[in-house]
């Protein structure tokens, strides 16, 4: 995750344009850290996303914000070694830079209307994220063209009856039969049946369909795939 600081509010602003909080969909330690470091309302014109985010966080009590995640814990100082009785004059420590206690704006006034708008914007982003997450995935389907050969391959009436039997008998959930049935000549007046079906890949296996057709062993001699194409 990006290392957010008050010195790179441009990066913070860009991140908040597609996220509700610095920690994602829910507020967390990064939100508390940057909020406390700002010490005031950021300029709306320069950092609009940070502005609304700040107003939203400001609507919560400090006690609630404290529950979002531990702020950076103070480093424990190592125990000081015992110094000799004669102490060398201590060097004056350099003053802390102004960045150690950042007060970029020094304005704690909160516009109630802007705060209301910030909450509405955060809720909208949350709903959009949920809608995107819950959007159903497209169903994977395959068009299967196959041929059926029967023993009495010269009997047109039996060919048509076999094709009709296939469509009327085999109808599991996830299978749709193609409307057109063809009868292509093999040789010497013998013909084979050409059929098609659309199957949902997660529900139907072609072998299961073909096994049911070849189970009519008194009439059907073979079933073979001609082509398969993803929809």
């Amino acid at each position: 995750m990006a290392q957010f600081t008050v010195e790179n509010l441009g990066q913070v602003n860009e991140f908040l344009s597609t996220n509700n909080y610095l920690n994602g969909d829910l507020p967390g330690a990064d939100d508390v850290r940057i909020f406390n470091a700002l010490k005031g309302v950021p300029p709306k014109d320069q950092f609009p996303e940070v502005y609304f985010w700040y107003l939203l966080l400001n609507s919560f009590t400090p006690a609630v914000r404290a529950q979002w995640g531990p702020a950076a814990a103070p480093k424990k100082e190592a125990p000081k070694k015992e110094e000799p009785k004669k102490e060398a004059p201590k060097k004056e420590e350099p003053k802390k830079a102004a960045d150690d206690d950042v007060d970029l704006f020094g304005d704690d006034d909160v516009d109630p209307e802007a705060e209301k708008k910030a909450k509405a914007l955060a809720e909208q982003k949350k709903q959009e994220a949920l809608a995107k997450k819950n959007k159903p995935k497209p169903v994977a389907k395959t068009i299967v063209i196959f041929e059926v050969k029967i023993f009495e391959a010269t009997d047109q009436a039996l060919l048509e009856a076999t094709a009709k039997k296939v469509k009327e008998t085999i109808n599991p959930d996830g299978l749709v039969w193609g409307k057109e049935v063809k009868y292509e000549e093999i040789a010497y007046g013998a013909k084979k049946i050409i059929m098609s079906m659309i199957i949902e890949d997660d529900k139907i296996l072609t072998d299961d369909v073909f096994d049911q057709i070849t189970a009519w062993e008194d009439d059907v001699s073979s079933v073979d795939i001609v082509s398969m194409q993803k929809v």
Side-chain angles (χ1 to χ4, degrees):
M1 180 176 288
Q3 295 298 317
F4 301 117
T5 67
V6 292
E7 288 81 14
N8 66 351
L9 284 185
Q11 183 178 355
V12 176
N13 191 77
E14 181 179 356
F15 184 83
L16 289 174
S17 66
T18 55
N19 295 273
N20 292 337
Y21 303 97
L22 297 180
N23 285 87
D25 290 333
L26 297 174
D30 281 343
D31 295 275
V32 177
R33 177 173 57 79
I34 299 300
F35 178 85
N36 291 337
L38 285 174
K39 302 291 185 183
V41 183
K44 180 179 179 181
D45 293 340
Q46 187 176 3
F47 305 110
E49 300 294 342
V50 179
Y51 173 79
F52 287 115
W53 164 86
Y54 182 90
L55 296 184
L56 178 61
L57 265 63
N58 192 63
S59 65
F60 295 94
T61 64
V64 172
R65 291 196 296 266
Q67 298 175 8
W68 293 343
K75 296 181 180 179
K76 294 183 179 179
E77 296 183 358
K80 295 182 179 180
K81 295 181 180 180
E82 186 175 353
E83 297 180 356
K85 292 181 180 180
K86 293 183 179 180
E87 296 182 357
K90 294 182 179 180
K91 294 182 180 179
E92 184 177 352
E93 295 182 358
K95 293 183 179 181
K96 293 184 178 180
D99 290 344
D100 293 343
D101 186 14
V102 178
D103 186 358
L104 293 180
F105 315 107
D107 182 6
D108 292 330
D109 293 336
V110 176
D111 183 351
E113 288 299 322
E115 183 177 352
K116 183 178 180 181
K117 184 176 180 181
K119 289 183 178 180
L121 183 61
E123 180 62 24
Q124 179 183 347
K125 287 185 178 180
K126 180 179 179 181
Q127 294 302 323
E128 289 174 352
L130 288 174
K132 185 176 181 181
K133 181 179 180 181
N134 297 328
K135 185 177 181 180
K137 296 181 179 179
V139 178
K141 297 181 180 181
T142 302
I143 299 176
V144 183
I145 299 176
F146 63 97
E147 60 183 30
V148 180
K149 294 178 181 178
I150 64 174
F151 293 113
E152 299 296 332
T154 58
D155 188 337
Q156 181 65 30
L158 184 57
L159 287 164
E160 293 176 2
T162 302
K164 182 178 180 182
K165 183 179 179 181
V166 169
K167 287 189 174 184
E168 293 180 349
T169 305
I170 306 172
N171 285 289
D173 181 40
L175 182 150
V176 177
W177 290 110
K179 292 183 179 180
E180 187 177 9
V181 178
K182 295 181 180 180
Y183 304 94
E184 293 186 357
E185 187 170 348
I186 303 173
Y188 305 107
K191 295 180 180 180
K192 60 185 177 181
I193 306 167
I194 305 297
M195 304 182 67
S196 65
M197 60 182 176
I198 300 176
I199 59 174
E200 295 184 23
D201 297 347
D202 291 340
K203 295 181 179 180
I204 303 295
L205 294 176
T206 55
D207 286 347
D208 292 341
V209 177
F210 295 165
D211 287 346
Q212 293 183 64
I213 299 174
T214 54
W216 306 328
E217 54 188 18
D218 292 338
D219 297 318
V220 177
S221 62
S222 66
V223 179
D224 295 293
I225 292 176
V226 176
S227 67
M228 298 180 70
Q229 181 179 354
K230 295 292 183 181
V231 177

